Structure formats: structure tokens, C-alpha cells
């Protein structure tokens, strides 16, 4: 392995720890700078991870000892930062979503195409053992042709989650609600499994949090794939628990059902555990009561080290600007199809 790649992380909020921890454990990378416009946050993070703190990310542009920059900032900051960093030849690993709008995502894509550096996106659930197994079973045709699938996300975001974080819950800064933020992972998995989407139609609404947010807390959609597969999708932040994400895929000769990190196969009236931890007599806790954030999926570390491996080996990372644009296109189409179906105003 050559010289270690110098890394920086912009944004020291909620998602900062999985990035910093992955870098700490990885050979061939060293975290040199952490950036946050909230200087206290940057300094606290720098103290913990023994690196420099900065408040302005532009300081990274001229630094020759920084090759890779992680974007862990609010959605409306992604495009501005990614474009400048890519122009300066820095590899960018951005948290999802690619941006807060399709137009902003296109700006990143243009910058990535013109840059010598790579753009990668954190869709860590593609690295879950169950997701990889599902992809493998689709590709090998082990259960015959995929017929249809569904993804269900029922999580809980209380009003304080939005009230204490001004960028959330607003079109201008978050770019949407549960769809673009929490459930985008599941939408990405559905399109990764199903292939090219020919249409997506659905409805986004604020069913419970309408007094708190201007974006949606709930969304449902039907996806039609070019190969004839049908996908159904439902997501909400208006539940009162963090249920495990559920995926079901029906094939010609069997059914796969994923719940949390377990994948089950049903075939010929029998159900078996294909991957995931075996059951114990009485399991402690349960994902619904998770004190941590296991419902995000736990594959950040795997994705991050794979991104660095690709950079070191000069290979193109798979979850790139094109993959990001596909999902942003679906998000944008879904929001538009929802607006078309908005009912007429009720007259007094
Ligand atoms: N992959 C996942 O499962 C996952 C989970 C949670 C969050 N995320 C994503 O991570 C990103 C950040 O989310 P979060 O929950 O950590 O947000 P957060 O609000 O907790 O943290 C964002 C941080 O960025 C800083 N910041 C904002 N603007 C800045 C600027 N111009 N320069 C420097 N720092 C700036 C803020 O001060 C804050 O500390 C979002 O894109 C979010 O969707 C991904």
C-alpha cells in the first residue's frame, strides 16, 4: 500500500461518527482536518480524533495533503461544496442524497465528469449482507425471474427533530421530507434490484407533522421497471417507533423477505434464514426499541473503505454521480407526480 490518503470531513453533526470511526480503523487513510461552521463542534471533533479543526471548508481547496473529502453537511450544501472540491481535484464522498434538487445534482454530475477526481455517494445499505445476497439471487436467476417487490419504511421523527434543526423539514434546504432523507436508501435498493425504471407515480403528504414541516412525512409510490417488474414503496416518519425496514421480493420460484439484517427465503411452503444473525431463545431489545441508529444500516465502514480502495487502485467507484442522478430523478418524478394529483382546494 502506498502513502496514506489524507482525508477531511465537512460537517460534525449526527452522521459524523461513522465516517470518523471508519477512517480511524482503516489502513491507508488518515483524517487530517474536520470542518464545521460551528467552530465548537469542529474543535470538539478535532480533539476526539486528534486532527485539525476548521470552520471554512474552502481552506481544504489548496491543501495538497488532503485528497479525499467527506460531505456530512445538510442537503442544500452538497452541490456547492462538491462542485468546488471536484474542481480542485479532491475526491468527494458525499452523504446521501446527492443534493436537495435534481438541478443541483446535475451540477455535481457535470463537475464530476470534468474532474480528475471521483465522486462517491453513501448508499451504505447496498453493502448490507442481505442486499448483496438479493442482488446475487437476481443476477444468477436462482429463483427464476423477479416478478414484483415492495419496500416499507415506518419510522418516527418527533416535532423536535425538525424544530431543533432549521435545515430539516424545508424544501429549500432539505429538498423534501421522508422520501429524500430517510427512505431514499430503500428507493435506491428497489431501483438497484429492479433495473431501469420506466415510470414512478405516487403521492407525498404531511399526514401528521403538517403543523411542523412544509415537506412530506409520508409517501407511497408504484414503480414500473423496463423489464416488467412492479415495485411498491411506502415510507413514513409519522409512526411512533423505528420499525426495521422491510423488503419483499417475489420471484417465479420463491420469495425473499428482508427484515432488519435477516434475509429469509420462502419456497415450497418452507421458510429458511438465508443470511443474518441466527435466532437466540430470547433476544434482547429489538430494532424497534433501538437506542442507537441500527435502523440506518451498519455498513458505512464497508462502503467507506471500498471507496478508498477504488481510489488507491485507480478504479471507478460504483455508486457514482450516475447512480446518484438515477435516484434523484426518481425522487423528482415522484414529487412531480404527487403534485399533479393534488386535489382541488376545498371551498368554505
Ligand atoms: N447514510 C445515512 O444513513 C445517513 C444518516 C443520517 C444523516 N445522513 C446524511 O448526512 C448529512 C448530514 O446530516 P446530519 O444528520 O449529520 O446533519 P446535522 O445537522 O446533524 O449536521 C450537519 C453539520 O454540518 C454543519 N454545517 C452546515 N453547513 C455547513 C457549512 N457551510 N460548512 C461547514 N459545516 C456546515 C452543521 O453545523 C452541522 O454540524 C445529510 O446529507 C443527511 O441526509 C445520512
Amino acid at each position: 500500500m502506498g502513502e496514506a490518503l489524507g482525508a477531511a470531513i465537512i460537517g460534525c453533526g449526527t452522521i459524523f461518527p461513522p465516517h470518523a470511526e471508519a477512517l480511524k480503523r482503516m489502513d491507508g487513510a488518515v483524517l487530517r482536518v474536520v470542518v464545521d461552521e460551528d467552530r465548537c463542534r469542529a474543535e470538539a471533533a478535532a480533539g476526539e480524533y486528534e486532527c485539525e479543526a476548521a470552520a471554512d471548508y474552502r481552506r481544504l481547496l489548496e491543501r495538497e495533503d488532503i485528497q479525499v473529502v467527506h460531505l456530512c453537511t445538510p442537503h442544500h450544501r452538497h452541490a456547492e461544496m462538491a462542485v468546488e472540491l471536484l474542481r480542485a481535484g479532491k475526491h468527494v464522498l458525499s452523504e446521501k442524497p446527492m443534493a436537495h434538487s435534481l438541478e443541483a445534482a446535475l451540477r455535481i454530475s457535470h463537475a464530476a465528469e470534468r474532474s480528475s477526481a471521483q465522486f462517491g455517494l453513501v448508499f451504505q445499505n447496498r453493502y448490507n449482507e442481505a442486499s448483496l445476497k438479493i442482488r446475487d439471487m437476481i443476477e444468477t436467476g436462482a429463483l427464476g425471474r423477479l416478478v414484483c417487490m415492495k419496500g416499507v419504511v415506518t419510522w418516527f421523527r418527533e416535532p423536535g427533530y425538525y424544530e431543533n434543526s432549521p435545515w430539516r423539514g424545508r424544501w429549500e434546504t432539505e429538498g423534501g421530507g421522508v422520501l429524500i432523507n430517510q427512505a431514499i436508501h430503500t428507493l435506491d435498493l428497489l431501483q438497484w434490484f429492479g433495473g431501469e425504471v420506466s415510470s414512478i407515480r405516487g403521492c407525498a403528504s404531511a399526514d401528521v407533522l403538517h403543523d411542523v414541516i412544509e415537506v412530506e412525512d409520508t409517501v407511497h409510490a408504484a414503480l414500473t421497471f423496463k423489464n416488467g417488474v412492479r415495485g411498491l414503496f411506502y415510507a413514513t416518519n409519522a409512526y411512533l417507533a423505528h420499525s426495521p425496514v422491510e423488503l419483499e421480493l417475489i420471484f417465479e420460484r420463491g420469495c425473499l423477505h428482508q427484515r432488519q439484517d435477516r434475509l429469509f427465503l420462502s419456497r415450497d411452503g418452507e421458510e429458511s434464514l438465508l443470511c443474518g444473525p441466527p435466532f437466540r431463545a430470547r433476544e434482547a431489545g429489538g430494532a424497534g426499541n433501538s437506542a442507537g441508529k441500527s435502523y440506518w444500516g451498519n455498513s458505512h465502514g464497508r462502503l467507506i473503505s471500498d471507496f478508498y480502495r477504488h481510489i488507491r487502485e485507480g478504479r471507478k467507484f460504483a455508486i457514482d454521480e450516475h447512480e446518484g442522478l438515477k435516484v434523484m430523478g426518481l425522487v423528482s418524478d415522484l414529487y412531480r407526480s404527487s403534485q399533479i394529483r393534488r386535489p382541488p382546494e376545498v371551498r368554505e
Side-chain angles (χ1 to χ4, degrees):
M1 192 178 291
E3 213 176 298
L5 290 163
I9 304 177
I10 313 177
C12 302
T14 317
I15 203 61
F16 170 81
H19 287 259
E21 284 299 314
L23 288 169
K24 191 168 148 185
R25 282 194 293 269
M26 202 194 303
D27 290 330
V30 53
L31 178 57
R32 295 216 159 97
V33 188
V34 290
V35 183
D36 201 297
E37 63 180 9
D38 177 338
R39 188 165 263 293
C40 293
R41 272 197 182 178
E43 273 162 13
E48 190 175 348
Y49 290 94
E50 297 174 347
C51 61
E52 292 170 49
D56 185 352
Y57 75 92
R58 288 184 191 86
R59 286 196 36 202
L60 304 173
L61 299 172
E62 301 295 322
R63 294 265 308 239
E64 283 182 9
D65 60 343
I66 303 287
Q67 286 84 39
V68 187
V69 181
H70 299 228
L71 291 189
C72 298
T73 47
H75 303 173
H76 64 305
R77 297 284 179 219
H78 291 186
E80 158 205 341
M81 292 176 174
V83 168
E84 281 197 69
L85 290 160
L86 287 163
R87 276 194 193 138
K90 309 293 180 199
H91 301 288
V92 173
L93 181 61
S94 173
E95 268 297 347
K96 48 49 60 171
M98 188 166 173
H100 66 302
S101 69
L102 182 57
E103 185 274 324
L106 280 164
R107 275 189 274 133
I108 298 178
S109 173
H110 288 145
E113 276 162 19
R114 282 162 186 69
S115 175
S116 56
Q118 295 211 39
F119 176 80
L121 203 53
V122 179
F123 277 135
Q124 76 274 12
N125 289 336
R126 289 196 190 189
Y127 283 75
N128 295 350
E129 203 192 341
S131 306
L132 293 166
K133 185 77 185 163
I134 292 170
R135 269 281 285 202
D136 179 60
M137 294 193 81
I138 293 170
E139 276 167 11
T140 59
L143 296 173
R145 195 174 57 82
L146 177 62
V147 178
C148 56
M149 57 187 168
K150 67 182 183 204
V152 178
V153 183
T154 49
W155 287 357
F156 175 45
R157 291 292 182 273
E158 55 199 328
Y161 169 82
Y162 293 102
E163 286 160 354
N164 301 328
S165 182
W167 70 269
R168 300 184 203 277
R170 295 173 49 212
W171 288 106
E172 226 183 9
T173 46
E174 192 173 8
V178 65
L179 173 64
I180 200 166
N181 196 334
Q182 288 77 25
I184 198 165
H185 291 291
T186 306
L187 184 62
D188 174 59
L189 286 179
L190 291 178
Q191 70 86 26
W192 193 49
F193 297 147
E196 219 177 318
V197 177
S198 52
S199 78
I200 180 167
R201 285 186 68 84
C203 190
S205 54
D207 293 352
V208 173
L209 294 166
H210 44 84
D211 289 337
V212 183
I213 56 176
E214 63 182 36
V215 297
E216 84 289 355
D217 60 25
T218 303
V219 66
H220 70 79
L223 295 98
T224 305
F225 291 85
K226 287 223 162 120
N227 52 15
V229 170
R230 169 70 40 82
L232 295 183
F233 172 68
Y234 175 81
T236 186
N237 270 343
Y239 206 37
L240 290 177
H242 297 301
S243 294
V245 173
E246 288 193 63
L247 284 170
E248 180 185 78
L249 295 96
I250 310 269
F251 294 81
E252 287 172 310
R253 295 194 298 275
C255 168
L256 295 177
H257 186 217
Q258 185 190 339
R259 196 158 189 277
Q260 191 75 353
D261 45 6
R262 289 196 175 95
L263 183 66
F264 301 92
L265 166 65
S266 305
R267 187 163 45 177
D268 304 328
E270 305 257 320
E271 185 169 82
S272 56
L273 181 65
L274 270 191
C275 63
F279 289 96
R280 287 183 213 102
R282 293 190 68 193
E283 292 198 327
N289 306 319
S290 170
K293 301 282 175 75
S294 63
Y295 57 85
W296 286 344
N298 297 315
S299 299
H300 262 93
R302 268 176 254 162
L303 182 146
I304 292 169
S305 45
D306 201 31
F307 185 66
Y308 279 77
R309 197 172 309 121
H310 278 77
I311 289 171
R312 273 198 300 273
E313 294 171 4
R315 291 187 293 125
K316 182 95 171 113
F317 183 65
I319 315 177
D320 61 1
E321 61 279 10
H322 306 293
E323 290 299 293
L325 275 184
K326 278 190 206 169
V327 185
M328 286 303 300
L330 294 179
V331 166
S332 164
D333 285 356
L334 207 166
Y335 283 138
R336 268 190 299 137
S337 80
S338 176
Q339 281 166 17
I340 289 165
R341 291 164 58 177
R342 185 176 288 162
E345 299 272 312
V346 180
R347 297 212 182 115
E348 291 296 317

